Amino acid sequence: MYPYDDKKHLFIISDEHYKFAQKFIKEGKSVLDVGCGTGALIPYLQNVDYLGIDATLWAVEKANDPRITFCDVFGYNGNFDYVCAFGVLDTALDLKVLADKLKSLGNVLLFSFREGTQKKKFNQYTTEEVIEAFGKIELIEGKTSDETYGIWRK
């Protein structure tokens, strides 16, 4: 399970996510960071056109960065080279609906999930459920966490 701050309702994500994204995202490309929180991915990316969206108002206010906006993913439309969704799948009530929305926003989707069948505080999906929702994806096991990373390409 993610470390979770019940007072702030924010996932606390390890830097492994950001290093994973850094390996794939090239300079000069556009990036949409869904569920960006305070924008922790920004320092890992060099010379990109970055936009972060988050549905947690206090995190957006704390970020105080014009590249980060208060918005739910379903209220946003656009086309980006890369879409990052780290710690987002676990919040989905309907994984297929979220997968379709994320795929509609970009050419390459980088995401993470924790496999599980016990639904407690978060929705955890099996690898098979993630593959069914996203279609053809590449999966990479996390090195320092129990997360799995996924890559979907248009």
Side-chain angles (χ1 to χ4, degrees):
M1 268 262 177
Y2 286 113
Y4 189 78
D5 181 342
D6 284 316
K7 294 180 183 155
K8 302 292 186 189
H9 303 291
L10 178 71
F11 295 106
I12 301 165
I13 305 215
S14 77
D15 70 343
E16 183 179 65
H17 294 74
Y18 312 125
K19 290 177 182 176
F20 173 77
Q22 188 179 43
K23 287 193 291 189
F24 292 94
I25 297 173
K26 309 295 183 222
E27 288 188 22
K29 299 296 184 178
S30 59
V31 178
L32 175 64
D33 187 6
V34 177
C36 68
T38 58
L41 177 59
I42 294 171
Y44 292 85
L45 304 177
Q46 300 298 316
N47 301 315
V48 299
D49 182 15
Y50 175 92
L51 175 65
I53 61 172
D54 201 292
T56 308
L57 182 58
W58 80 265
V60 173
E61 290 173 344
K62 183 176 180 180
N64 193 29
D65 188 312
R67 297 169 291 182
I68 297 175
T69 189
F70 176 64
C71 181
D72 180 86
V73 68
F74 293 101
Y76 191 81
N77 292 307
N79 187 26
F80 293 81
D81 296 310
Y82 296 91
V83 176
C84 296
F86 299 118
V88 173
L89 270 57
D90 294 346
T91 66
L93 297 176
D94 186 326
L95 184 58
K96 177 69 173 140
V97 171
L98 178 61
D100 289 346
K101 179 60 180 181
L102 291 171
K103 292 189 309 184
S104 76
L105 295 171
N107 298 320
V108 178
L109 171 62
L110 306 173
F111 63 93
S112 65
F113 69 98
R114 291 178 189 255
E115 182 161 352
T117 55
Q118 295 180 348
K119 300 192 189 274
K120 293 186 179 177
K121 205 174 236 185
F122 305 105
N123 297 314
Q124 293 180 316
Y125 297 97
T126 65
T127 299
E128 291 77 20
E129 290 172 314
V130 172
I131 291 170
E132 183 177 330
F134 284 92
K136 186 176 179 182
I137 56 175
E138 179 183 346
L139 297 175
I140 300 169
E141 291 298 318
K143 292 182 178 164
T144 61
S145 70
D146 60 349
E147 300 228 34
T148 300
Y149 295 94
I151 305 168
W152 172 87
R153 293 177 173 91
K154 233 178 215 177

